[in-house]
Amino acid sequence: MSISLRQIRYFVSTAEQGQISQAAVDLAISQSAITTAIKELERVIGADLFVRSPQGMELTAAGRQFLFHAYDILNKVQEATSLNVPANDLEGSLTVAATYTVIGYFLPNHLEKLKRNFPKLDIQLFELNREAIEEGLLSNRYDIAVLLTSNVLNPDLSTETLLGSRRRLWVASKHHLLQRESVGLKEISQEPYIMLTVDEAAHTSLKYWSKTPYQPSVTLRTSSVEAVRSMVANGQGVAILSDMVLRPWSLEGKRIETLVPSDPIPAMDVGLAWRRNAQFTPAMEAFRSYFRQTFYIPNSR
């Protein structure tokens, strides 16, 4: 019996959501369809992929191994069917500045595609904080930047948001907040909080906390996303972070669950920035056009 992409997608959604019911909502299909697909996969593979419990679906060792391959398969399919700008003879160099989060969780896949589409274009990448990026764009040290556009306030820069990554509450598997019908900042403030500081995450977080009578009970401030992931997965605190940096397991293989807070939490906007009224070179235009087409942004200045 062969394995279908449908089965793989159903499996991945269930693994990420931790519940068949939530996966069914996200995929807009019936729970029975997901249950059947998973059973078929387990029959073909010859091993249980999940441990089923009242709290949800937890991956087995075989399930974690299969998930690795499932992600790889879906990524290859996406590459084969996604936008493929024909390679051309565009030559030259492009200096691109980017922040830590963007380089770690957003850019690598796109840089690989850009290199394939424009093999003669030399893209020089620099990792910097927002302030250094803004100064570098204004002084013409960098041609264009990829960063969190929601943090850019300088009126001398133009920005274009490509995507908004939703922020959710991260908690350990079987955390008591998972049993509540609604979790807001009031309930979150009563938990030990792991505060990420990189890319102004702490400043952004405090902006939406300050609109409420509550404050996070911060027990650790760290610039490491992996440290946050491990602390949360081990039950040592909770955190509110964007879906872009979400991975449902820590390095130790412990699961992280997510909740959507009932209070409004702004998304993390990712996009491009350049000096206002800058004269776009062919390399800059090709870079911007690639992202506009990839994220379906209207082609207008």
Side-chain angles (χ1 to χ4, degrees), residues 8 10 31 43 47 80 82 84 90-91 94 98 103 113 120 122 153 201 220 231 240 249-250 278 291:
I8 292 174
Y10 291 3
Q31 294 185 39
R43 186 160 53 250
S82 64
N84 183 19
L90 176 67
E91 297 186 36
L94 183 71
I103 285 181
K113 290 181 180 179
K120 297 181 180 180
D122 178 24
L153 300 175
L220 174 68
M231 295 285 286
I240 297 175
W249 290 276
S250 69
F291 282 105

Side-chain angles (χ1 to χ4, degrees), residues 1-12 33-34 36-38 40-42 44-45 66 69-70 73-74 77:
M1 184 183 297
S2 61
I3 294 176
S4 69
L5 287 176
R6 172 184 59 82
Q7 293 169 331
I8 292 174
R9 290 192 177 99
Y10 291 3
F11 164 78
V12 168
I34 295 179
T36 299
I38 291 173
E40 290 172 350
L41 273 178
E42 291 178 325
V44 172
I45 294 169
F66 185 73
H69 295 294
I73 292 168
L74 293 180
V77 171

Side-chain angles (χ1 to χ4, degrees), residues 10 13-15 17-35 38 53-57:
Y10 291 3
S13 182
T14 303
Q17 298 298 332
Q19 294 182 332
I20 289 179
S21 58
Q22 187 58 53
V25 171
D26 288 349
L27 295 169
I29 59 173
S30 67
Q31 294 185 39
S32 61
I34 295 179
T35 300
I38 291 173
S53 71
Q55 288 74 34
M57 305 282 282

Side-chain angles (χ1 to χ4, degrees), residues 130-143:
R130 177 185 57 83
E131 293 90 344
I133 288 176
E134 292 185 0
E135 190 277 327
L137 289 173
L138 294 176
S139 63
N140 293 321
R141 194 157 56 250
Y142 311 114
D143 296 318

Side-chain angles (χ1 to χ4, degrees), residues 239-276:
I240 297 175
L241 289 175
S242 83
D243 285 349
M244 193 173 78
V245 301
L246 175 63
R247 304 292 182 273
W249 290 276
S250 69
L251 294 176
E252 304 88 352
K254 295 187 177 181
R255 184 170 177 81
I256 294 172
E257 304 286 354
T258 62
L259 294 167
V260 178
S262 57
D263 293 291
I265 307 293
M268 185 180 77
D269 293 335
V270 180
L272 309 177
W274 59 89
R275 181 171 50 86
R276 187 175 295 277

